[in-house]
Amino acid sequence: MTFLGSGTSMGVPTLGCPCAVCADARIPGSRNRRTRPSLRLEWEGHTVLIDTGPDFHAQAIRENISRVDAVFYTHHHADHILGMDDLRPLSFRNTTPLPLYADDPTADALERVFGYTFRTENRYPTSARVQIHRLDPTPGSTTRIFGANFQRIPVIHGRERITGYRFGSAAYLTDMSDIPPESLALLQGLDILILDALRPAPHPSHSHVAKSIAFVEQLKPKRAYFTHMGHELDHNATEATLPQGIHLAYDGLQLTFDIAPEETAS
């Protein structure tokens, strides 16, 4: 698992901001440098992404991504979908269309924003070779690819219900302000829990640090990492205040975990 990006929708440094965190984020190697949120998963020669934000091109160059086998989308906001067109050169290498997995609102947005890619008549000749697969809206529904199960975990994002994912012993819940009871039941026995922690103060559409800590204490994963963080959080100062086993993610962070524990157990 590689965090391609760990920042909020405006990124860090935030344009025009003179704060200390944004100033530090301009220094090469700073862990306060946060591009828009995305995750890469690699196992058995396969590469799967969760979200393709507007920074995907730079993230792919930084991490030397040369192939993508599938993309799962969490929701339709700009900071999670606008890099889809950068999949074009990677999709040309595949013998079949690159599968994109998304709920109905996200699939509708992708088809609308990238209409030149998905239309059947007068299609742009070098459009990405992709195909949308609409997720079963049932909480806990599973998509199986390359020997691993991706389970849909609904979360609340302000006034919307969007998609988080559990894959093996890890779960990724970006852009969430709350977790409904039916989803909490799907998040037991985790090795790694990744969840939104935008800033210290409450926010109407995102979890904040204290609330995310409370979710970790309730779900009791072995390890927890916060993502989708804004410039209100200095990496080193905030990390020093977190309970044991909870960390701030950062761009380029790599973690290992078991993506198919049921097969391993058998």
Side-chain angles (χ1 to χ4, degrees), residues 1 169-171 189-195 216 219-226 243-247 253-258:
M1 173 193 300
S169 61
L190 288 170
D191 177 5
I192 298 173
L193 173 62
I194 303 160
L195 67 168
V216 174
L219 292 168
K220 296 179 172 57
K222 293 179 181 178
R223 298 176 280 172
Y225 292 84
F226 294 161
Q244 185 175 2
I246 303 178
H247 304 278
L253 171 65
Q254 293 188 335
L255 304 171
T256 59
F257 69 101
D258 193 346

Side-chain angles (χ1 to χ4, degrees), residues 137-219:
T138 307
S141 62
T142 298
T143 301
R144 187 169 180 83
I145 58 170
F146 313 127
N149 291 326
F150 282 71
Q151 188 176 35
R152 183 174 183 270
I153 310 292
V155 295
I156 307 302
H157 180 27
R159 297 179 179 178
E160 300 181 78
R161 181 173 287 235
I162 68 166
T163 300
Y165 294 99
R166 176 170 181 161
F167 30 89
S169 61
Y172 184 69
L173 311 178
T174 187
D175 285 48
M176 66 87 187
S177 52
D178 208 350
I179 306 174
E182 63 270 24
S183 294
L184 290 171
L186 301 171
L187 296 169
Q188 305 300 312
L190 288 170
D191 177 5
I192 298 173
L193 173 62
I194 303 160
L195 67 168
D196 189 348
L198 180 69
R199 64 188 191 186
H203 186 279
S205 300
H206 295 272
S207 185
H208 59 287
V209 171
K211 187 172 186 177
S212 294
I213 289 173
F215 278 126
V216 174
E217 291 174 342
Q218 179 181 2
L219 292 168

Side-chain angles (χ1 to χ4, degrees), residues 95-169:
T95 57
T96 57
L98 177 64
L100 311 178
Y101 297 93
D103 59 23
D104 285 338
T106 306
D108 291 343
L110 288 168
E111 291 174 343
R112 182 175 65 253
V113 173
F114 300 101
Y116 57 88
T117 295
F118 295 104
R119 65 188 176 211
T120 55
E121 295 183 3
N122 299 317
R123 185 174 179 272
Y124 190 68
T126 56
S127 295
R129 297 183 66 246
V130 295
Q131 182 178 6
I132 293 179
H133 299 264
R134 293 177 179 248
L135 295 170
D136 181 342
T138 307
S141 62
T142 298
T143 301
R144 187 169 180 83
I145 58 170
F146 313 127
N149 291 326
F150 282 71
Q151 188 176 35
R152 183 174 183 270
I153 310 292
V155 295
I156 307 302
H157 180 27
R159 297 179 179 178
E160 300 181 78
R161 181 173 287 235
I162 68 166
T163 300
Y165 294 99
R166 176 170 181 161
F167 30 89
S169 61

Side-chain angles (χ1 to χ4, degrees), residues 57-80:
H57 181 272
Q59 294 166 343
I61 291 172
R62 187 192 75 214
E63 300 297 336
N64 195 30
I65 295 175
S66 60
R67 64 174 291 164
V68 173
D69 298 297
V71 183
F72 284 84
Y73 285 97
T74 60
H75 63 301
H76 61 274
H77 290 174
D79 54 322
H80 296 264

Side-chain angles (χ1 to χ4, degrees), residues 6 8 17 19 72 77 107 168 180 204 242:
S6 58
T8 184
C17 180
C19 79
F72 284 84
H77 290 174
L242 296 176

